Structures are given as C-alpha cells and as structure tokens.
Amino acid sequence: MDIGAFYAGFDQRVRDIVAYGYDRSPAFRRRMEAAGLTPDDIQTTADLARLPILRKEQLVEIHRQGPGLGGMLTVPLSALRRIFQSPGPIYDPEPDEPDSWRWAPAFRAAGFAPGDIVLNCFGYHLTPAGVMFEEGARAIGCTVIPAGIGNQAQQIDAMAHLGVTAYAGLPSYLKALLERATEQGHDPRSWTLNKAFVAAEPLPPSLRALFEEQYGILVYDGYGAAETGNLGYNGPERQGWHLPDDALVQICDLNTGAPLPPGQTGDVVVTLFRRDYILVRFAVGDLSALMEPGTPTIISTPRLVGWLGRSGDSVKVRGLFVHPRHVEEAIRTLQGVAAYQAVVVREHHRDDMICRIVPTADADATSLRQSAEQALYDALKIHCRVEIVLSLPEGAKPFVDERRWE
C-alpha cells in the first residue's frame, strides 16, 4: 500500500474526532485553543502537525487537573468498563465494549483461532496488559487462562494437562517457563503448545530461533502501549510491525513534531478514534521508523522497523517503563545512602535491574538493603537486586542501561 494513500485514508476520521473532541472534551479544547486552532483548521491528517504533541509527563499533569481525568473523558467514570493505572500515575480508561484495545488482528495474524487455549502471562492487577491481550484473544474465539506473572509451577501444570496451544506474554517469561518445565522433567516439545504472541520487550533473532528450533513454537511479536493498545504487529512474513488500520500511528520529528518519511527515526505519535476519551497526537515515548516500501506483503498496511529506543530517558524493563526520576525518588526516601547507581542488564534473555548503594558510615548494611529493595519495588513495580558496595567509580552515572540486543 502506498504510504501517502494510507495516511490520507484517515482524513475523515481525523476531522470527525477533532470536531467531536473540541465540542465534548474540555482538555482537548484547551489544547486546541492554546495552539490557536479550531476544528476548521484540521481537515486532513497532514493538518494534525499544527497541533503540538502531547507527552506522557503532560498527560500526568492533565489527569490531576480535575474530574473526568482532567477533562479528557467525554463520559462519566461510571460508563467505563475498567480503569487501569500506569506509573506516573497515568490512568488508562477502558470503554465498555469488546476488544477496545484492538489486539484481535494481531492474534489473528499470529495464527490464533477459535479452539486455541491461550496461557496469558501478561500482567494483570492495576496495569492493563493482561486484560487487553485477553480481550484480543477472546474476540477471535480463543479460550484464555488468565495466568499473569508468577506461580510458574501451576502454569506449567496447566500447559501440560490442559492442552494449551498458545502463549501470550513476555518472551523472556516464556523462556523461563520452558526451562523450568524441562528442569522438572517435562518435555515441552511433546506439548500441544505451538504458537506464541509476545510483546512489551524486544525479541532478538537468537531468542526467536531458540523457541522455534528447540521447542517448535512459532513466535510472532507486536507493539503497543498501555494508553493506546495495539500499534503494530507481525504479518505472516514476520518482518517489521504492520500499522493497525483503526488507529493513526505516525513517526514524527523529535523537535518539530512533523511526520517523517520512511527510513527516518522519530517519535511514535498516536491518534485514537475512540469517543469516550480523546487522545490525539500522543507520543508514547518510543522511537521507531517506517520501513521503506519494498516487496508486497500479505497485510498491506505500512510497517514500523521495530523499537529503536526511548525518546526520553525512560527504559523498558520486563515490560514496564522505568524512569531515572522514579529511582531517584525511591532512593531519596532512604536514610544512610551516600551514593547509588542503578544499572539495567540483560542476562540469558532476561532483563534485570541492579541498584548499587554506597552506605554512609553509620548505616546498617542489611537494613539498608532491605529498605532499598522495598522502596524500589514500591516505586517501579519490579524487583531490583540491591548490592551494598564500598564505592562507585568516579563520575559514575546514577542510571545506566548496559543491555545489548544480539
């Protein structure tokens, strides 16, 4: 599909959502007015570039400004099906309709079908991942086991005894499950598990090959965000992420916000067409690029090349965004810290965070380690390994990402 024609195909929906949001969402109207715009000024997808991009830190502030998530909602809270919370906090409202996060096409492209039994190991609780992927699988007729993360022994029993045919979750978690099952005497190759849809962390070619060659599991991956749902997914060729046709995903210049042509790296910027919650020109915080047009693919929409990093300082660890500021705030609550360094590493295809702390002379090392582990978990919602050290290298940065994707 011609990229220009693909984006021009959104023109009418852009006009409609801008006009609707201007009339019904006080927060969106304020954004438009601050930019000196009215709905008459936004007649095409290209015109959206006149509206400044909305970033996550701004979204946090808007949600704090009053009822209705600061005026972004056009319906009462009681009309929603669920309300989730992401770090920030950012509230993620779910409308009362099936597959509102729009993942069904991604599962269908990955070969999921009616009759499949899916072990869903995306996280449940306050974050939306578990529910959003469950809704997508259910929308195409799959039966879902809401496994979440943890309780691996029970999950292995389910895969062995219930005829699980498909997995949804982090690729690193699938690897951990298969390895533990093998340690317990199972032979995962004899199971009915034959397909997987993974997201929320990179899928290196070496890990995809391990799943397919060692375990016979065909793995597809996709890309999305808690605030937006599906933003891209593998087609049958499994080369890049096809853009969805029910949300506007653009790659925009980091400085100007203008849409970029294929091959140039920029911000992933999203406009949704849902009418209960107006989210227009929202930067999810990731970098990517549109693939150059090439050999025709079975799914005709343009593709993203993949995840190329964070546009801010945040990094994704085990599927959750971690910002250096959140680490700093957690450490600031502790007494007895002379210096610290948080390091993100990746070992055996699994993310880990290590926080090295230099204690003050009067600090109790054991107590400090325990307090730091709890404070970091409370702030980040992931477990960090805390190491008490005598010193750090001169000029050590407080936050370092040492991961290499090979």
Side-chain angles (χ1 to χ4, degrees), residues 96-136:
D96 191 14
E97 57 188 52
D99 191 30
S100 60
W101 308 96
R102 313 174 338 277
W103 281 106
F107 281 109
R108 195 173 289 112
F112 288 52
D116 273 318
I117 299 175
V118 182
L119 186 78
N120 182 18
C121 290
F122 283 107
Y124 284 80
H125 196 46
L126 278 175
T127 58
V131 167
M132 73 161 66
F133 289 105
E134 177 178 317
E135 292 278 320

Side-chain angles (χ1 to χ4, degrees), residues 2-62:
D2 177 75
I3 290 178
F6 174 76
Y7 282 115
F10 287 100
D11 286 351
Q12 184 62 54
R13 281 184 282 184
V14 165
R15 284 194 293 273
D16 291 345
I17 198 62
V18 166
Y20 189 88
Y22 190 86
D23 287 340
R24 303 293 184 91
S25 165
F28 183 67
R29 188 179 187 117
R30 288 193 295 268
R31 280 183 66 200
M32 291 280 286
E33 291 176 343
L37 300 172
T38 70
D40 289 341
D41 297 312
I42 310 294
Q43 294 297 305
T44 68
T45 301
D47 292 336
L48 275 178
R50 301 177 64 181
L51 181 67
I53 287 171
L54 176 67
R55 301 195 176 274
K56 285 200 176 191
E57 56 269 25
Q58 295 171 293
L59 191 57
V60 172
E61 292 303 316
I62 291 173

Side-chain angles (χ1 to χ4, degrees), residues 47-394:
D47 292 336
L48 275 178
R50 301 177 64 181
L51 181 67
I53 287 171
L54 176 67
R55 301 195 176 274
K56 285 200 176 191
E57 56 269 25
Q58 295 171 293
L59 191 57
V60 172
E61 292 303 316
I62 291 173
H63 283 183
R64 291 173 175 166
Q65 290 175 6
L69 302 185
M72 295 187 68
L73 283 173
T74 64
V75 300
L77 290 174
S78 59
L80 300 170
R81 179 178 293 185
R82 300 179 182 92
I83 304 171
F84 298 95
Q85 185 192 77
S86 298
I90 293 173
Y91 294 100
D92 306 310
E94 180 189 10
D96 191 14
E97 57 188 52
D99 191 30
S100 60
W101 308 96
R102 313 174 338 277
W103 281 106
F107 281 109
R108 195 173 289 112
F112 288 52
D116 273 318
I117 299 175
V118 182
L119 186 78
N120 182 18
C121 290
F122 283 107
Y124 284 80
H125 196 46
L126 278 175
T127 58
V131 167
M132 73 161 66
F133 289 105
E134 177 178 317
E135 292 278 320
R138 287 291 303 131
I140 59 173
C142 299
T143 297
V144 177
I145 301 172
I149 296 174
N151 300 312
Q152 289 188 357
Q154 292 173 271
Q155 293 166 354
I156 290 167
D157 284 343
M159 287 192 287
H161 299 146
L162 295 181
V164 168
T165 58
Y167 167 91
L170 303 177
S172 61
Y173 194 74
L174 176 57
K175 180 175 181 288
L177 278 175
L178 294 169
E179 289 176 346
R180 183 167 178 182
T182 301
E183 291 170 1
Q184 293 179 352
H186 294 277
D187 179 7
R189 292 169 299 182
S190 69
W191 292 349
T192 51
L193 179 65
N194 58 52
K195 65 179 76 71
F197 178 82
V198 300
E201 64 182 20
L203 175 65
S206 59
L207 186 54
R208 191 198 293 265
L210 182 147
F211 290 137
E212 299 184 358
E213 296 170 9
Q214 185 167 331
Y215 297 104
I217 301 171
L218 192 63
V219 180
Y220 285 66
D221 71 328
Y223 167 63
E227 299 86 0
T228 62
N230 174 20
L231 300 179
Y233 55 95
N234 283 165
E237 299 84 6
R238 294 186 299 164
Q239 296 176 356
W241 292 322
H242 284 276
L243 297 182
D245 58 11
D246 51 10
L248 174 62
V249 182
Q250 299 173 292
I251 303 301
C252 296
D253 184 274
L254 289 169
N255 294 311
T256 67
L260 293 172
Q264 295 191 23
T265 300
D267 257 332
V268 179
V269 177
V270 183
T271 294
L272 299 182
F273 301 110
R274 53 187 288 186
R275 295 198 164 199
D276 60 311
Y277 180 68
I278 305 302
L279 198 62
V280 174
R281 289 269 285 169
F282 173 66
V284 300
D286 291 330
L287 298 175
S288 190
L290 291 168
M291 292 183 71
E292 300 278 3
T295 304
T297 54
I298 293 175
I299 298 173
S300 63
T301 64
R303 289 171 287 170
L304 299 177
V305 299
W307 183 78
L308 300 179
R310 293 290 292 161
S311 57
D313 292 328
S314 297
V315 297
K316 191 174 277 188
V317 182
R318 290 183 232 151
L320 292 176
F321 289 118
V322 174
H323 194 285
R325 175 172 57 87
H326 295 144
V327 177
E328 178 187 355
E329 291 173 352
I331 296 297
R332 201 185 304 147
T333 66
L334 304 171
Q335 295 184 352
V337 177
Y340 79 95
Q341 183 184 54
V343 182
V344 184
V345 299
R346 189 169 177 86
E347 299 173 348
H348 307 298
H349 297 294
R350 185 181 188 277
D351 292 337
D352 254 323
M353 177 173 281
I354 304 167
C355 188
R356 300 185 178 112
I357 294 178
V358 179
T360 58
D362 59 346
D364 179 84
T366 301
S367 177
L368 179 58
R369 180 188 295 109
Q370 293 171 347
S371 298
E373 287 175 348
Q374 186 62 53
L376 288 164
Y377 179 78
D378 290 343
L380 307 177
K381 300 299 185 288
I382 62 172
H383 291 286
C384 301
R385 188 164 83 240
V386 174
E387 298 177 353
I388 303 299
V389 297
L390 295 178
S391 64
L392 291 170
E394 185 175 350

